[in-house]
Amino acid sequence: MAQVFEWIYVVFAVLLLFGAAIAIHEWGHYWVALKRGLKVEAFAIGFGPKIWGWTKDGIEYSIRWIPAGGYVKLPQMLTSEALEGEQKGEQLPPVSPWSKILVAFAGPFMNLVFAFGIATVIYFVGLPIKVNPSIIGHVAPGSEEAKFGIQAGDRIISIDGKLARSWEDVYQTVALSRTNVLPVVLARTNTSGVSAQGGEERKTYYLTAPVKEGIGLKVLNLEPRDLPVIKGLLADGAAEAAGLKVGDEIIEFNGVPIAGQKQFIGEVQKRGGMATDILFKRGAERMKLSVTPRGDPVAKVARIGVEIGSSTVEIYQLQKPGPLPWELLGDVCEQVTSTFSALAHSKQTGIGAKDLSGPVGIFMVLSAQVKYDYRLALKFMILLNISLAVMNLLPIPVLDGGHIVMAIFEKLRGKPLSVKLQEYATTAFAVLLLSFMVYVTFYDIKRISIFRSMFSQEVQIESAPKAVPGAEPAPAKQ
């Protein structure tokens, strides 16, 4: 029952937060339109069929089924019939280009204001900061990394000059880099105890980051120190037949110590059709069973029929008060800028439109953050609002930036473009926008197992700082 209430809370919170980002954007258009004397016919959150609606002062308000945006219907501004329906009613006098610019800019501006407001709230309630050290758990024998002398237990200090406080930092920096060969600074405990870095020796390696099959992003050929844990069992699979259960943590397979999921999968694939000892931990007890991996006729590899997850607890320390609002906004803006830069240099980074998330991905990530801690969800909302503002300011017809560009062109030209031309362009780009949303949603669904694994991740929020072995202290801000 407690789990049911938890999911009700998560769903309600996600709809409320995402709806708030859309509502504040549309409210900006709505409020400025009224102040500039424009006629407002409708205010909608979402697209498609109406869930609930009412009319007040001649304005139709509604909430609709597709929670991927919204609109304010302004008959004196160019609209898209593909999104908002056919325009009907009386002919109204045209509005000035300046009014069009102000109305169009008001939506993204309100998202930025909302983001600053959330950052201010975070300053007072605090922000959990991830402190899991990026310690290497496994290096594949015979690999380039092993030939360099990299060992399990080494800790990643920085990549491409950027500090790596956690594996999340590692993954993000590598994925967004414009090259697949990156300078990686590793630290190893110095047994002599004599070192300028407090008992550690540090060395820089230039490592190649191949594209990982399944996610399409660059990753280092290194694994975190993370025992695989069984999250699900395939009915009549080899693991279930052997007596393995959900929650078992894999320690050894065929006598080989296991330090990560990738290593475990590789070891299983070597043992197709062969009875193999598997050592695991169930609760506080260590147990050993024999399991025979079975060949998969589709994938043509051996499997034991389990869904593998992470045994690592993600540790956060609560920073209270949180970062100053402008510092937090600056960090998020840098993240957004890095993402757009990676997209703009897709040939170098490998990042493309397929790696973006649509409504499905946004809902899944936001749901996981709400489940972890509401403050993490608020930080994600800052990223979402800034991303919405930037995306909407792109100079593309149907987006706010397109309206601004056309209004500027109208001002310089002294008269607007042909109404039909604008309508055709806006409708065409509206169809492209909807098609793009379908495209990214398709890839979101392909990544659904990754999103699903986020919900089984164990998270620990520490209210007071504690020493974390191997954790790198945050650099002092100058």
Side-chain angles (χ1 to χ4, degrees):
M1 182 61 72
Q3 191 173 16
V4 172
F5 283 116
E6 180 183 50
W7 278 109
I8 291 174
Y9 158 71
V10 168
V11 171
F12 176 78
V14 168
L15 291 177
L16 179 65
L17 290 172
F18 188 79
I22 301 301
I24 199 71
H25 179 98
E26 298 305 328
W27 185 85
H29 294 314
Y30 165 84
W31 187 79
V32 174
L34 289 180
K35 290 297 180 182
R36 299 294 297 182
L38 276 69
K39 179 176 176 58
V40 180
E41 289 187 349
F43 180 102
I45 303 301
F47 299 125
K50 188 188 306 181
I51 300 174
W52 180 44
W54 69 99
T55 300
K56 183 179 180 182
D57 298 330
I59 302 173
E60 181 189 9
Y61 300 89
S62 62
I63 298 174
R64 297 173 180 264
W65 277 108
I66 305 175
Y71 61 88
V72 178
K73 186 175 288 188
L74 304 169
Q76 290 159 290
M77 291 187 68
L78 190 65
T79 57
S80 169
E81 294 183 6
L83 295 178
E84 303 173 23
E86 185 180 356
Q87 292 288 342
K88 297 178 181 179
E90 60 182 312
Q91 290 293 322
L92 296 167
V95 295
S96 68
W98 180 239
S99 291
K100 293 179 181 179
I101 293 171
L102 289 176
V103 171
F105 182 74
F109 177 74
M110 285 307 301
N111 280 125
L112 296 177
V113 171
F114 191 32
F116 185 83
I118 295 172
T120 303
V121 171
I122 288 176
Y123 174 76
F124 290 103
V125 302
L127 179 65
I129 305 295
K130 186 181 288 188
V131 294
N132 292 66
S134 46
I135 297 174
I136 298 169
H138 175 69
V139 181
S143 65
E144 179 183 337
E145 291 75 15
K147 292 175 182 177
F148 282 149
I150 298 173
Q151 301 174 7
D154 290 350
R155 180 165 55 91
I156 301 174
I157 299 297
S158 67
I159 299 176
D160 204 18
K162 297 181 179 179
L163 192 65
R165 299 187 187 91
S166 67
W167 277 98
E168 183 178 327
D169 291 342
V170 172
Y171 295 140
Q172 180 173 307
T173 301
V174 172
L176 296 179
S177 173
R178 297 185 189 179
T179 176
N180 66 337
V181 179
L182 302 103
V184 180
V185 178
L186 299 182
R188 181 180 301 167
T189 301
N190 190 332
T191 54
S192 68
V194 180
S195 172
Q197 286 85 24
E200 287 184 334
E201 54 180 344
R202 299 187 178 187
K203 191 172 181 180
T204 300
Y205 301 87
Y206 286 84
L207 302 183
T208 301
V211 175
K212 185 174 182 180
E213 187 178 350
I215 62 173
L217 299 175
K218 300 190 302 295
V219 294
L220 291 176
N221 191 27
L222 299 169
E223 277 198 77
R225 189 168 60 186
D226 178 11
L227 288 178
V229 59
I230 297 176
K231 298 293 185 179
L233 290 166
L234 181 67
D236 300 323
E240 185 182 62
L244 291 167
K245 296 183 178 180
V246 172
D248 290 347
E249 294 182 14
I250 312 302
I251 300 172
E252 290 183 1
F253 189 80
N254 193 35
V256 178
I258 300 298
Q261 299 177 43
K262 182 179 177 182
Q263 180 204 6
F264 176 59
I265 292 170
E267 294 297 330
V268 169
Q269 291 175 351
K270 298 175 186 176
R271 302 288 297 176
M274 294 181 278
T276 307
D277 287 339
I278 181 169
L279 178 67
F280 59 94
K281 186 169 69 171
R282 182 176 294 167
E285 185 179 0
R286 292 165 68 95
M287 304 174 66
K288 181 180 287 188
L289 291 172
S290 179
V291 62
T292 303
R294 301 172 183 172
D296 186 322
V298 178
K300 297 182 180 179
V301 293
R303 303 184 187 279
I304 61 173
V306 295
E307 180 183 341
I308 295 296
S310 170
S311 64
T312 300
V313 177
E314 289 192 348
I315 301 174
Y316 291 81
Q317 290 177 357
L318 180 60
Q319 177 184 335
K320 189 173 183 181
L324 291 169
W326 44 90
E327 290 181 351
L328 183 53
L329 284 179
D331 290 342
V332 174
C333 285
E334 182 180 355
Q335 184 178 348
V336 172
T337 302
S338 298
T339 301
F340 275 91
S341 176
L343 283 168
H345 299 86
S346 59
K347 288 186 178 180
Q348 292 87 3
T349 64
I351 300 291
K354 63 180 175 57
D355 301 307
L356 299 176
S357 281
V360 172
I362 292 171
F363 284 159
M364 293 294 285
V365 174
L366 185 55
S367 297
Q369 300 285 27
V370 167
K371 184 175 181 290
Y372 295 162
D373 188 276
Y374 76 94
R375 290 161 292 205
L376 294 175
L378 289 178
K379 183 183 178 184
F380 182 78
M381 284 296 297
I382 296 176
L383 174 62
L384 176 61
N385 276 275
I386 291 177
S387 299
L388 282 173
V390 173
M391 289 290 290
N392 273 281
L393 285 174
L394 293 177
I396 297 172
V398 84
L399 296 179
D400 297 323
H403 288 293
I404 293 172
V405 169
M406 285 188 287
I408 292 174
F409 189 79
E410 177 184 341
K411 180 67 175 177
L412 296 175
R413 187 168 180 256
K415 61 179 180 178
L417 291 169
S418 163
V419 173
K420 282 296 181 185
L421 176 62
Q422 293 184 68
E423 286 179 348
Y424 288 150
T426 303
T427 301
F429 275 95
V431 173
L432 288 175
L433 177 62
L434 291 174
S435 300
F436 177 75
M437 289 171 60
V438 172
Y439 175 79
V440 296
T441 298
F442 169 76
Y443 281 97
D444 275 344
I445 293 172
K446 287 188 67 174
R447 294 189 289 263
I448 200 71
S449 60
I450 298 175
F451 292 131
R452 186 172 58 186
S453 67
M454 297 172 64
F455 291 90
S456 59
Q457 176 65 55
E458 188 176 350
V459 171
Q460 180 179 330
I461 309 291
E462 296 179 350
S463 57
K466 295 181 180 180
V468 179
E472 180 77 2
K477 296 205 174 185
Q478 300 295 323

